[in-house]
Amino acid sequence: MLIQFVLVAILLGALLMTWKRAKQNVISFGEAFAWSVLWIGAGVVVLLPQTTTLVANFFGVGRGSDFVLYAAVVTLFVLIFKIFISLDRMERNLTEMVRKEALRDLPEQHE
Amino acid sequence: MRIIAVIPAYNEEKRIAETIEKLQPLVDGIIVVDDGSLDKTADAAKAAGAIVLRHALNRGQGAGLRTGTEAALRLGADIIVHIDADGQHDPSFIPALVEPIKAGEADVVFGSRFMGLAPVNMPLRRKMLLRGARLFNTFAVGIPNTVTDPQSGLRAFKASAAEKIDFKQDRMAHTSEILRLATRSDLRWKEVPVEVRYTADTLAKGQFGGGPFRIVWQLFLGMFNK
């Protein structure tokens, strides 16, 4: 199927790029390995969609493609929440800077 | 005892001078934190005789109070009073507010709108929101339900207590955060009755301006950023 062909081509490209970057020492060997596992895993899911059913059944979900969708929603939720938290941290750091600036000219007057 | 009042102010050029004038006879120093106002709040406050600190960007009421509190500690305050800029708090309640600290009975004193003195012109919607906030504070935030006012903006700290209460919420959630930190520490806290006056002006900028859900959300996010 065309969609499989396109997806596998993209994933192969990603795999090649990952190892090219590893050779250039942009990412570490461990990172390259982790990414490779992700790309190859995605390739397996694309070429043999029925494998997802195995995993899905393990989690009690009937159909493989449903399971992929559920997993994607959960993953996105976690990622977005992490962004919220890091934004909150950035806001606090910003406040800290603004505060330092506001207090800079205040004379020390401790008794 | 040196009492310093901290007033966070955002676009309050019209009301800040009157608030400062009313406060002056009751405290030993007034710090106005101009929270990135777009109007002449800083100039008006300076002209009225307050020490003015300026946030270069608007960071919220909680952030302003924190900056002012740190400044008050540096200036050698024994008691620090938090008060709103918009005149909804009657400054004549300040002696009653600081009295328990002076007498050595408490380290933190909160002004409560629900202890006998009826708030003037408090709308029903606000009353119901505050009742809901009290329930939320008890069950979700863990503030004892003996605290009668969940969102009081008028409070006084002994200097040592102000150093201890490490509040980090920049916006409106600081009220709940301070209550939680104070009531869960070994600090002695107390509520005293105060009267609050609601006008169309003050309501427009009230505690729930940002919406109660935003406060809940900020408290929730705050749990992950210690």
Side-chain angles (χ1 to χ4, degrees):
Chain A
M1 271 180 288
L2 183 62
I3 179 84
Q4 282 178 319
F5 182 75
V6 171
L7 286 173
V8 168
I10 292 173
L11 289 169
L12 275 177
L15 193 64
L16 282 176
M17 190 60 91
T18 303
W19 285 99
K20 197 177 156 195
R21 291 284 178 264
K23 263 191 187 153
Q24 295 166 334
N25 281 327
V26 178
I27 51 174
S28 72
F29 182 79
E31 274 176 300
F33 186 74
W35 281 110
S36 302
V37 169
L38 184 76
W39 303 135
I40 293 168
V44 169
V45 170
V46 170
L47 291 173
L48 307 163
Q50 58 276 23
T51 48
T52 54
T53 311
L54 282 172
V55 187
N57 286 337
F58 176 76
F59 284 103
V61 180
R63 218 168 53 154
S65 53
D66 285 350
F67 176 75
V68 171
L69 202 68
Y70 295 159
V73 169
V74 170
T75 311
L76 283 178
F77 177 82
V78 170
L79 288 178
I80 290 174
F81 193 68
K82 277 190 144 176
I83 292 177
F84 266 116
I85 290 172
S86 66
L87 267 180
D88 193 58
R89 192 170 306 130
M90 269 173 62
E91 293 249 347
R92 285 174 189 217
N93 291 342
L94 182 60
T95 301
E96 207 45 59
M97 277 177 61
V98 168
R99 176 168 301 132
K100 243 183 211 153
E101 178 70 21
L103 290 170
R104 203 185 46 186
D105 299 325
L106 193 78
E108 289 277 352
Q109 242 186 47
H110 259 307
E111 268 109 304
Chain B
M1 285 229 187
R2 195 167 151 78
I3 304 172
I4 295 186
V6 174
I7 314 176
Y10 178 61
N11 292 345
E12 294 283 357
E13 67 174 349
K14 290 199 193 94
R15 293 182 289 198
I16 192 78
E18 195 191 334
T19 306
I20 292 169
E21 274 155 31
K22 279 192 199 156
L23 263 172
Q24 250 148 2
L26 301 163
V27 296
D28 304 304
I30 298 171
I31 297 173
V32 170
V33 182
D34 174 10
D35 193 18
S37 297
L38 303 169
D39 63 3
K40 295 197 166 63
T41 300
D43 295 341
K46 237 176 242 165
I51 301 164
V52 177
L53 302 172
R54 232 187 105 73
H55 278 181
L57 290 169
N58 181 253
R59 299 311 301 151
Q61 193 186 33
L65 283 169
R66 175 90 194 225
T67 301
T69 305
E70 282 180 21
L73 287 169
R74 273 208 222 171
L75 295 176
D78 298 305
I79 298 175
I80 295 152
V81 176
H82 288 175
I83 186 164
D84 282 0
D86 60 10
Q88 71 165 338
H89 295 135
D90 186 344
S92 62
F93 284 99
I94 286 181
L97 194 73
V98 298
E99 184 47 42
I101 298 177
K102 278 187 173 168
E105 292 164 6
D107 305 309
V108 189
V109 183
F110 299 99
S112 170
R113 293 166 283 186
F114 302 104
M115 284 177 80
L117 296 174
V120 177
N121 295 329
M122 186 190 268
L124 184 68
R125 193 181 110 86
R126 183 65 58 99
K127 242 180 244 177
M128 281 163 59
L129 265 177
L130 286 169
R131 185 140 304 199
R134 196 170 160 185
L135 273 175
F136 175 80
N137 273 351
T138 304
F139 291 105
V141 190
I143 295 166
N145 65 355
T146 42
V147 174
T148 59
D149 192 338
Q151 286 290 112
S152 170
L154 189 64
R155 55 186 93 83
F157 305 91
K158 198 171 156 179
S160 57
E163 271 166 14
K164 210 167 172 184
I165 294 181
D166 183 21
F167 65 102
K168 296 199 170 94
Q169 288 285 351
D170 288 343
R171 290 162 219 261
M172 288 312 176
H174 69 274
T175 340
S176 299
E177 195 190 9
I178 291 173
L179 273 172
R180 179 186 153 98
L181 291 170
T183 54
R184 291 202 154 193
S185 66
D186 52 5
L187 296 168
R188 294 162 305 160
W189 61 273
K190 198 181 169 179
E191 276 190 308
V192 298
V194 295
E195 187 187 85
V196 174
R197 210 163 281 276
Y198 286 89
T199 61
D201 249 10
T202 61
L203 280 173
K205 264 179 96 171
Q207 288 280 38
F208 289 110
F213 293 111
R214 228 160 106 183
I215 295 179
V216 172
W217 176 240
Q218 281 160 6
L219 284 171
F220 180 64
L221 280 183
M223 295 187 342
F224 298 90
N225 270 335
K226 284 286 145 119

